[in-house]
Amino acid sequence: MADVASVGAGVIGLPLTAYTGVLLAGTAVPLWQGARRALPILFACSAAASAASLLDLFPERGRASVAVHRFGAAAKAAEVAMTVALERQVAAVPRVAEPLRTGVTGGLWRAAQGLFAASLVTSLVPGWHRRLRIFGALLGTAGAVALRFALLDGGRRSARDPLATFEQQRARRGGHEVPEMKSPRRHTESERSGAAAGGEGGFQLTDRGQHA
């Protein structure tokens, strides 16, 4: 039963790690809204890589350590790829991407990318020595912390910039990309006849079928 529960937790738990990214992407903050497609996936990849880095700090346990190592390498590769994808997504509106390119948040973002790449390299080095594994785990953990501070503080910074919101809406991105929900209309035949009558004699029908 414990093994079954562990497998279930692994399968269900990983998608749940994207929930924070979904919540952030659903806000009106320009940076988070502009990255809403990549943000949840990045959070899931980062959570998986962080878990693998944490487990790498524990003593080796034979086959379990090998599984953690392979899982962590795949998660780190996906994490690096998703940071690039997120940056390209928000770069569609340069003003929105500015927090990830300048200032303290930009430095944290670049540091996170560099730490992820370095941690991935240590995972791919042949031999996989104990000290190298611990060093890679520390790099991955530091990168995860830098990533979260960069995204959270970058979002706050973009929220304080009114031009970021304006330019994103002007580029017809963000909220403009969400399809409008049209409520069902009644008496469509009456509306058509009313529109025709309005074009000929100045009469038209409302939704209730009354002359206006």
Side-chain angles (χ1 to χ4, degrees):
M1 292 181 64
D3 291 340
V4 173
S6 297
V7 172
V11 173
I12 300 174
L14 185 59
L16 288 178
T17 60
Y19 186 58
T20 305
V22 173
L23 290 178
L24 295 180
T27 66
V29 175
L31 178 63
W32 300 340
Q33 190 181 73
R36 68 184 181 279
R37 291 189 177 91
L39 194 60
I41 303 176
L42 175 58
F43 267 68
C45 294
S46 181
S50 300
S53 296
L54 178 62
L55 292 174
D56 274 338
L57 296 176
F58 289 90
E60 297 184 16
R61 297 182 59 185
R63 295 177 58 186
S65 296
V66 175
V68 168
H69 174 71
R70 294 175 178 175
F71 175 78
K76 292 171 186 176
E79 189 176 39
V80 172
M82 288 310 303
T83 57
V84 176
L86 185 145
E87 189 170 357
R88 291 184 61 182
Q89 190 175 75
V90 298
V93 182
R95 188 84 182 192
V96 175
E98 188 173 345
L100 298 183
R101 295 177 174 175
T102 60
V104 176
T105 54
L108 287 172
W109 177 255
R110 295 302 178 193
Q113 288 181 312
L115 290 168
F116 292 151
S119 181
L120 176 61
V121 169
T122 61
S123 299
L124 299 178
V125 172
W128 193 46
H129 298 292
R130 168 69 176 166
R131 292 182 179 178
L132 185 61
R133 185 185 69 176
I134 294 177
F135 180 63
L138 293 175
L139 290 176
T141 302
V145 174
L147 173 74
R148 282 155 178 76
F149 275 103
L151 288 175
L152 291 176
D153 290 344
R156 297 190 187 102
R157 182 177 164 189
S158 69
R160 292 192 296 266
D161 183 7
L163 291 179
T165 301
F166 173 75
E167 292 186 13
Q168 184 162 256
Q169 296 300 320
R170 187 176 183 181
R172 302 194 67 81
R173 299 185 65 86
H176 280 286
E177 296 179 85
V178 179
E180 295 182 0
M181 299 296 294
K182 295 183 178 180
S183 59
R185 304 293 298 276
R186 298 179 180 178
H187 308 292
T188 54
E189 294 298 331
S190 299
E191 289 178 356
R192 291 175 184 173
S193 61
E200 296 176 0
F203 297 96
Q204 61 182 4
L205 295 177
T206 64
D207 290 344
R208 296 182 179 179
Q210 298 177 347
H211 288 288

